[in-house]
Amino acid sequence: MAEHDLERRLSLRQATAINMIDMVGIGPFITLPMVIGMMNGPYFLYAWVAGAILSFVDAMVWSELGAAFPKAGGSYNFLKEAYGEKGMGRFMSFLFVWQTMIQAPLVIASAAIGFATYLSYLVPLPGLWFKAASGTVVVLIIILLYRRIETIGRISVLLWGGVLVTLLWIIGGGLAHGRFLEPLKHINDGLKLNYAFIAAIGYSSVKTVYSYLGYYNVCHLGGEIINPAKNIPRSMFLSIAGIAVLYLLMNISVTSVIPWHEIREHDFVLSLFMQRLMGSTAAKVITVLILWVAFASVFSATLGYSRIPYAAAADGAFFKVFARLHPTRKFPYVSLLVLGSVAFVFSLLFKLKEVISAILAMRILIQFISQAIGLLLLRRKRRAADFPYKMPFFPLPAFLAIVMWAALYCATGTRLMLAGIGVAALGTAVYLIQARMRREWPFRPYKPEDKGFRSL
């Protein structure tokens, strides 16, 4: 099916809600004790600020590309356009889809596993029961997403309402406690600006950035956004600003009730927080709301990722079956079902801490760094009028994004760095075999109509 068969029905409000519920998810609740443990001091808030800064800088890159190429698939189209549609762009976009088929189900599975983790606070989930709970979440998400996009937009706004209620209750609880500003008074206690602090910021930022990921989800839905030239950048910056404020306030609220050195020892920090403030009943209610947040995150992430294999297949660069749209509801149902099935399997196989760093390690090289470099190439080849949104102080933010992502990649650790390179290497081998059979780049001679090929 052609790209125009997708319908532009998502408003700015709905697009922002989809971004935000993807960003929040279970991430901030499960990474809060991890970040405090890595920073090992009251200055852990700086790691959350660092994650917000990186997200904001990178969003400038996404905004330029998303506004200029508002199509389903996001990075698939950006890489293809940047590196040459008939040249190296085919290779780069293929690599992106290749790693998406692995890391997207990991993202979905991580949220589902996080859901089961917090559910075990309410109901004991030994062994197979824990895996059954996480797998069931994925199945329910697929059922909810099996419908028209405007209905999904309304569901997203409803889910975001529950996310907002959860965060505001947590923040309000700390305010009512009366010691809300106490963590800020001691934020620099014991702080030394040395290599140890910089290293701690780097390692802990792997976890905070994981909690911010999703600000670009709207780009994967580019073919379904109303007025994309304006709404795609707006939804991203609104999402990051809003979520950064909520994350900082939530961290301050929790540490105003539970000392930071105690938080790092608990898995159910938010449940413990509410239990100390209002008792066991309130702790159970907040746990239910956190489960709502985790469910909303899986919903949003699965929605965005399902458009990537579809976009590649519709373009003739992936298996044709993924290009099928539902005959009446107009959504890529094959892509949705396949990614959901892989995520279901991953939710049964992996543990939460194993997937968080792996998700970043697989994304950074092919998606974030290559995409920023691609924007620099596009700005040289295209007219300024081709970019409805232009980042301030270009090209400084693009270079800064590349440096920051490279540093974060190193912070994931040698094993995961090699795993990310291994996935890319295997994808390269598969592409070269396929390209040889189809006589595509780099196995076909240059032709004048091959736009972007000569310059690369």
Side-chain angles (χ1 to χ4, degrees):
M1 288 289 185
E3 171 76 29
H4 62 262
D5 287 333
L6 292 173
E7 301 173 338
R8 295 193 180 276
R9 299 292 187 90
L10 292 176
S11 65
L12 174 61
R13 179 171 65 103
Q14 293 171 336
T16 304
I18 289 171
N19 272 358
M20 283 184 158
I21 62 177
D22 189 4
M23 291 172 71
V24 177
I26 198 67
F29 308 119
I30 59 175
T31 59
L32 193 154
M34 296 180 193
V35 172
I36 290 177
M38 289 177 174
M39 295 298 293
N40 197 33
Y43 35 80
F44 66 91
L45 286 174
Y46 289 119
W48 291 96
V49 173
I53 292 172
L54 173 57
S55 301
F56 192 83
V57 171
D58 191 54
M60 295 184 190
V61 175
W62 283 89
S63 292
E64 284 216 17
L65 294 169
F69 309 104
K71 303 175 182 178
S75 294
Y76 169 79
N77 294 297
F78 304 158
L79 292 169
K80 183 180 67 175
E81 295 286 347
Y83 292 93
E85 184 175 350
K86 298 291 182 63
M88 190 177 177
R90 293 192 70 83
F91 168 62
M92 295 300 296
S93 56
F94 176 87
L95 275 188
F96 169 68
V97 180
W98 173 265
Q99 61 95 21
T100 295
M101 295 302 293
I102 300 172
Q103 65 89 16
L106 279 175
V107 173
I108 298 165
S110 71
I113 296 167
F115 180 99
T117 300
Y118 257 88
L119 181 61
S120 63
Y121 177 82
L122 300 175
V123 182
L125 294 173
L128 293 176
W129 285 103
F130 184 93
K131 296 182 181 298
S134 61
T136 300
V137 171
V138 178
V139 173
L140 290 176
I141 288 298
I142 300 303
I143 293 172
L144 268 182
L145 286 174
Y146 208 83
R147 60 197 72 244
R148 297 179 69 90
I149 189 63
E150 64 267 28
T151 305
I152 291 172
R154 290 193 290 268
I155 294 173
S156 298
V157 173
L158 174 65
L159 290 174
W160 170 238
V163 172
L164 200 58
V165 167
T166 305
L167 293 174
L168 291 179
W169 188 16
I170 294 167
I171 294 166
L175 282 170
H177 179 61
R179 300 181 59 193
F180 191 80
L181 297 179
E182 198 67 20
L184 290 178
K185 292 178 182 178
H186 301 283
I187 189 173
N188 293 321
D189 289 358
L191 175 61
K192 295 180 180 179
L193 295 177
N194 51 24
Y195 175 78
F197 174 75
I198 294 172
I201 283 285
Y203 289 118
S204 59
S205 291
V206 173
K207 308 304 181 186
T208 59
V209 168
Y210 166 79
S211 298
Y212 282 105
L213 291 180
Y215 54 86
Y216 45 78
N217 199 3
V218 65
C219 292
H220 299 321
L221 303 168
E224 297 160 277
I225 306 296
I226 299 169
N227 193 9
K230 291 184 177 180
N231 288 340
I232 286 178
R234 286 175 180 174
S235 66
M236 280 191 278
F237 293 125
L238 285 172
S239 301
I240 295 170
I243 292 300
V245 170
L246 290 172
Y247 281 177
L248 289 171
L249 291 176
M250 184 187 74
N251 275 267
I252 293 169
S253 180
V254 173
T255 50
S256 71
V257 175
I258 309 173
W260 67 266
H261 50 78
E262 185 181 346
I263 287 176
R264 59 187 177 181
E265 306 297 331
H266 293 276
D267 291 329
F268 311 107
V269 174
L270 277 302
S271 302
L272 177 65
F273 163 80
M274 200 56 68
Q275 183 176 359
R276 291 194 179 179
L277 279 180
M278 302 180 186
S280 59
T281 300
K284 292 177 181 177
V285 173
I286 198 67
T287 303
V288 170
L289 288 175
I290 290 172
L291 294 177
W292 176 289
V293 173
F295 189 86
S297 172
V298 188
F299 179 90
S300 179
T302 310
L303 170 64
Y305 284 125
S306 67
R307 270 54 179 176
I308 295 172
Y310 158 77
D315 200 37
F318 207 58
F319 300 109
K320 291 182 180 180
V321 67
F322 285 90
R324 292 182 182 174
L325 291 177
H326 192 279
T328 59
R329 300 175 184 178
K330 301 296 182 182
F331 70 92
Y333 71 102
V334 174
S335 181
L336 173 66
L337 292 175
V338 171
L339 284 181
S341 299
V342 177
F344 175 81
V345 174
F346 283 177
S347 72
L348 303 180
L349 295 178
F350 296 112
K351 295 180 180 179
L352 188 59
K353 291 182 180 180
E354 296 173 345
V355 299
I356 291 178
S357 296
I359 288 167
L360 268 180
M362 272 193 256
R363 285 184 179 184
I364 289 175
L365 287 180
I366 305 301
Q367 187 172 25
F368 296 120
I369 292 180
S370 297
Q371 195 164 270
I373 294 172
L375 176 61
L376 296 174
L377 294 174
L378 276 171
R379 280 289 208 110
R380 293 178 59 189
K381 295 190 295 183
R382 302 260 184 148
R383 301 172 304 156
D386 292 336
F387 297 89
Y389 168 85
K390 298 178 184 64
M391 69 174 66
F393 308 112
F394 179 86
L396 182 59
F399 283 119
L400 185 57
I402 293 169
V403 172
M404 294 171 78
W405 281 121
L408 204 63
Y409 181 65
C410 294
T412 62
T414 302
R415 183 173 62 87
L416 290 177
M417 289 173 65
L418 292 175
I421 293 171
V423 170
L426 183 58
T428 299
V430 173
Y431 172 81
L432 291 174
I433 293 171
Q434 174 183 273
R436 181 74 176 179
M437 295 173 62
R438 296 183 178 182
R439 291 187 56 78
E440 295 175 346
W441 187 91
F443 299 107
R444 72 187 294 264
Y446 169 76
K447 295 181 180 180
E449 64 269 20
D450 290 350
K451 182 180 179 181
F453 182 84
R454 184 187 295 277
S455 62
L456 296 167

